[in-house]
Amino acid sequence: MKSALFVDFDNVYSGLRKLDPMIAERFGRQPLEWVQWLIKDLALPDGAPANAQRRLLVRRVYLNPQVYQRFRPSFNHGGFEIVDCPAMTSEGKTSTDIHMVLDMVDLLQHQVHYDEFIVFSADADFTPVLRKLRRWDRRTTVLAVGFPSAAYRASADLLIDTDLFVRDALDMGVREFDEPPLPVISPPDASPSPAPFTPSMLASPAAAPVPAAPALPTADALVERIRAEVARADLPVPCARLASRLMHEYPGLSPDWLGQGGFRRFLESLALAPLVLDWGASGGHLYDPVRHVLRAPSPARSSFDATDWGIEPPLLALIRQVHDTTGVPLLSPRDFRALFDAVASDVADQPFQLNDTGKRVRDRLRENGHDVSRESVNWVLRGLLLCGHEFGRGEDDVPTLSYRLVGNLINLCRREQVLMDDGAPALLQRWVSGKIASEAPEL
């Protein structure tokens, strides 16, 4: 599958830097590593031809040389065409967007038929060009750090999960549990370890045996491996991550996938019940319905009413509207208050680091009897970081954190053109700060 990659460096780097400066630096310093991940490990978008393999024919990065000159050698060594986009206004606005759009349209009409356009940017200005590419029957894959608009997400065939990109492409993930790595199931009849080198081996190199290719694991062995992966995961396992790990552990498994011709058909052919495959979200997820909840509202969440939390129906309707628009977790006022209390306590004791802080906060919530997932905790933390909050500056109290989260929710709703009355911010503040819980009588 012929692919073209377009990287809005300023947009991606600044988004990653809000999450963690070390992540952003790794993105800028080692592009060749995440390019190899794109080529070898990232799942293909829906509708890609069977047995297709990604061929990255075009690599272009658009950056402001006045600010990011230090990253030019890295991208040059990574085989990128570097398009300089200096600031054109006193506010620092560059011409990156128009350069990228013109280049995409140019390749759309090129004599080489490009099957896939990969766009690294969270800028919703690219929504029209994604739709144009879809009309011309081209696949689109997008990495958008932060909270991309609903229209932008819907216009892409594959949305790369930011956590997956950081963990696997940049190799900066943190395990969800402090457990030893899961043992890899050895393929049956694996060849024995090679004998140690001796000088006599130099005498007759032609006589040295050629090692046989390792045998592929059986379907039953792969089912066991996949079940173990899901069992240790705190969240539904993205199918893209699962495919990446299987390809790494069992070279030769792809692209044939035990005769199925594609990872999706391979996964659907396995006897994985009671695990559930869901292809509704970008890339698909495999999960245990007893332990996991998908990002989309579960039946239990979607059926809650005003009596669940002691909330009046108008506020409940507002909460539902904001959740549907932004994806903010549907936590009770008591759970939200406990989450912010746990965050404030944790950052007072230890330096903030997104993954480590998120895990400690989740553990503390569970110890105190609050059923809040790691995904919900990370959503809140990312929301605070991306709206400009800096942890460790003495402003990590509950009122400040809840106020800034509400500001982020309001901005996301306005971006999606959701109309709210003037009283909405105060009502949302009551919800996320837990004031409703303190006003409601104990049950």
Side-chain angles (χ1 to χ4, degrees), residues 243-322:
S244 173
R245 292 186 177 178
L246 291 177
M247 287 189 294
H248 176 74
E249 294 169 11
Y250 307 109
L253 183 59
S254 67
D256 186 63
W257 293 106
L258 297 187
Q260 295 299 321
F263 179 71
R264 178 167 180 167
R265 286 189 291 274
F266 158 76
L267 209 55
E268 291 174 343
S269 72
L270 300 177
L272 296 172
L275 302 183
V276 176
L277 268 171
D278 184 280
W279 301 103
S282 179
H285 291 80
L286 179 66
Y287 67 99
D288 182 348
V290 176
R291 299 176 49 246
H292 300 144
V293 178
L294 286 178
R295 178 170 299 180
S298 66
R301 287 296 190 188
S302 61
S303 61
F304 72 90
D305 54 38
T307 60
D308 290 336
W309 299 343
I311 294 178
E312 60 273 18
L315 176 53
L316 194 66
L318 174 63
I319 292 172
R320 166 62 72 189
Q321 180 186 38
V322 173

Side-chain angles (χ1 to χ4, degrees), residues 145-374:
V145 179
F147 298 99
S149 69
Y152 191 47
R153 295 195 304 268
S155 299
D157 294 303
L158 175 63
L159 192 67
I160 302 174
D161 180 74
T162 302
D163 291 339
L164 176 71
F165 182 77
V166 171
R167 179 182 58 250
D168 293 349
L170 301 181
D171 196 24
M172 294 193 68
V174 175
R175 297 179 63 85
E176 293 179 352
F177 297 99
D178 295 327
E179 298 175 350
L182 193 70
V184 176
I185 301 172
S186 300
D189 302 323
S191 301
S193 301
F197 173 80
T198 61
S200 62
M201 293 181 179
L202 297 176
S204 55
V210 177
L216 292 177
T218 64
D220 290 340
L222 288 168
V223 167
E224 182 180 350
R225 173 66 181 88
I226 291 170
R227 287 183 183 279
E229 181 76 15
V230 175
R232 73 185 180 90
D234 190 43
L235 300 172
V237 178
C239 291
R241 182 206 308 174
L242 192 58
S244 173
R245 292 186 177 178
L246 291 177
M247 287 189 294
H248 176 74
E249 294 169 11
Y250 307 109
L253 183 59
S254 67
D256 186 63
W257 293 106
L258 297 187
Q260 295 299 321
F263 179 71
R264 178 167 180 167
R265 286 189 291 274
F266 158 76
L267 209 55
E268 291 174 343
S269 72
L270 300 177
L272 296 172
L275 302 183
V276 176
L277 268 171
D278 184 280
W279 301 103
S282 179
H285 291 80
L286 179 66
Y287 67 99
D288 182 348
V290 176
R291 299 176 49 246
H292 300 144
V293 178
L294 286 178
R295 178 170 299 180
S298 66
R301 287 296 190 188
S302 61
S303 61
F304 72 90
D305 54 38
T307 60
D308 290 336
W309 299 343
I311 294 178
E312 60 273 18
L315 176 53
L316 194 66
L318 174 63
I319 292 172
R320 166 62 72 189
Q321 180 186 38
V322 173
H323 164 75
D324 291 342
T325 303
T326 68
V328 61
L330 283 173
L331 302 179
S332 71
R334 287 187 176 87
D335 285 342
F336 251 128
R337 177 57 187 250
L339 190 158
F340 283 125
D341 282 336
V343 171
S345 298
D346 188 85
V347 297
D349 297 335
Q350 303 186 59
F352 178 86
Q353 202 283 328
L354 180 60
N355 290 310
D356 293 341
T357 301
K359 180 183 182 302
R360 291 193 299 266
V361 168
R362 187 276 312 273
D363 292 344
R364 182 175 300 197
L365 288 169
R366 289 188 173 178
E367 291 171 0
N368 294 331
H370 295 273
D371 185 18
V372 179
S373 70
R374 175 82 174 275

